[in-house]
Structures are given as C-alpha cells and as structure tokens.
Amino acid sequence: GQQVMQIPQYQHVQEGEDFTTYCNSSTTLSNIQWYKQRPGGHPVFLIQLVKSGEVKKQKRLTFQFGEAKKNSSLHITATQTTDVGTYFCAGPEGGTSYGKLTFGQGTILTVHP
Amino acid sequence: GAGVSQSPSNKVTEKGKDVELRCDPISGHTALYWYRQSLGQGLEFLIYFQGNSAPDKSGLPSDRFSAERTGGSVSTLTIQRTQQEDSAVYLCASSRVGTSLNEQFFGPGTRLTVL
C-alpha cells in the first residue's frame, strides 16, 4: 500500500532559527495536505497543495509540492515558540483526490527560547 | 459553527471489556473517518464512511473493532474484548466531499487506557 515518509522525526531549534520537514510518498499524489498538532491537541489543517511544483506561503511558512507530485516540504523561517508541535503531511490513497489519508509519521518540532 | 465532537474524552477500562466511542461530525459533512494515534506516533487510519456507500474498513486492526454510522451523521466505534495494545487516542474527523479542498476536521479525540 501507499507509504508516506517524513524526515526528520525530531527537530530541536533555537528560537529564530529556520526549520524544514520533508515528506516523500511511495506513489504519486493527487494532492498533499499538511497538518499541525500542538502538544495535547488534535491535528489542525494547514494547507493543501494540488499542482505539480506548487509553492504556497502562509506568513513564515512555505510549502512546496514536488514536480513529480511525490514529495513535499514545509519550511518555517525564524521559528517562534508558538511553532512548537508535530507537523504531519498526508495524501489521499489510490490516486483519488479525496477520502482516507495516509499520514506521515510526523516531525516533532521543539523550539528553545 | 460547532466542530467535530467526541465522547468520552477519556476512557479507562479493564482488559476484556467492551468500549464504545462516539463521534459527532460537522453538520453537512458526508465523509467521516476514524484514526488511531499511539503515544508519540503518527495517525493510523481505521475506517472511512462516505455518504451511503459501504464503509472502507481496510484499516481496522482486528475483528474486535467495528464501527457504524447512523443516519449519515453520528458514528460509534466499538472495541470488543479490549487489549492493552488498544490503548491510544482515537481521533474522528469529518470532511466535505465534492469540493476541491479536502480538508479534514478533527475532533479532540478519546484517550483510551486499557488496564
């Protein structure tokens, strides 16, 4: 079945440093979604990328979808303590555009003030 | 409007007992999903309901797990003869279908502890 891998598993940064997490799928995705889960909370949707090579920005966050639509990245510029949490990428299975998602294992981000 | 709600928020049970977990999706969302998250781990897909279609049960780990969705709205996940390895947070999510945005809205989860 479809597998979605994320690296790194953990990332510790000093406040103000940049952070990047990478996501790779074993199959081509129709879209990829990113979620953030704060400690003790539930996943919250951040963004969806659909087009090959797409780049989207949300303030300090930059999301990219690879040309082959099998990989993606999330980059945070100048991290803040509010960025702490686990970042998951997820893609729908079987080439569909909706339905059940296969989640990566997540990258746990710790930001030291 | 109201988000996805789940109950109970916490459930402690003894090994061998049955448990029922409830999910109330966002009104108008035709798709409903159950996931399981073990401590410090990612989300493991369990089951997916979409409208009146037969549910996708491909993620259920054993026949002790079952789920139903009544009236296209509320869903109940039942675990029979619970085992210690069933301890996890059970997350429910719902989404619209038929739009280009496939965002899933998650509930707060039910933390299940099997003693």
Side-chain angles (χ1 to χ4, degrees), chain A residues 9-10 31 33 35 37 40-45 47-48 50 86 88 92-93 97-106 108, chain B residues 33 35 37 40-43 45 48 50 56 58-59 91 95-109 111:
Chain A
Q9 186 175 1
Y10 302 94
N31 66 74
Q33 300 178 26
Y35 290 79
Q37 185 175 25
H42 57 275
V44 175
F45 176 84
I47 206 161
Q48 176 178 291
V50 178
T86 303
F88 294 99
E93 286 207 349
S97 60
Y98 60 88
K100 69 182 184 183
L101 296 175
T102 300
F103 280 79
Q105 286 301 101
I108 300 172
Chain B
Y33 316 79
Y35 296 92
Q37 186 173 33
Q41 300 297 309
L43 280 75
F45 165 77
Y48 161 49
Q50 167 47 34
D56 179 346
S58 59
L91 291 161
S95 70
R96 292 185 185 278
V97 174
T99 67
S100 59
L101 182 61
N102 303 300
E103 173 182 1
Q104 293 190 11
F105 294 81
F106 284 82
R111 181 175 300 278

Side-chain angles (χ1 to χ4, degrees), chain A residues 51-68:
Chain A
K51 298 177 182 177
S52 170
E54 188 170 14
V55 177
K56 286 188 175 180
K57 292 189 175 184
Q58 291 179 349
K59 297 183 181 179
R60 296 178 294 104
L61 278 62
T62 301
F63 303 84
Q64 290 188 312
F65 200 9
E67 294 290 340

Side-chain angles (χ1 to χ4, degrees), chain B residues 7 9 13 15 36 41 48 50 57 78 89 92 96 100 102-103 112:
Chain B
S7 61
S9 55
T13 190
K15 177 181 174 181
R36 178 169 71 173
Q41 300 297 309
Y48 161 49
Q50 167 47 34
K57 304 179 182 180
T78 301
V89 175
C92 174
R96 292 185 185 278
S100 59
N102 303 300
E103 173 182 1
L112 175 65

Side-chain angles (χ1 to χ4, degrees), chain B residues 80-96:
Chain B
Q80 295 179 312
R81 304 181 303 282
T82 51
Q83 303 295 311
Q84 289 183 331
E85 60 263 29
D86 299 334
S87 296
V89 175
Y90 289 81
L91 291 161
C92 174
S94 70
S95 70
R96 292 185 185 278

Side-chain angles (χ1 to χ4, degrees), chain A residues 63-82:
Chain A
F63 303 84
Q64 290 188 312
F65 200 9
E67 294 290 340
K69 302 183 74 173
K70 294 181 71 174
N71 62 300
S72 181
S73 65
L74 159 59
H75 178 84
I76 302 178
T77 303
T79 54
Q80 300 175 359
T81 55
T82 53

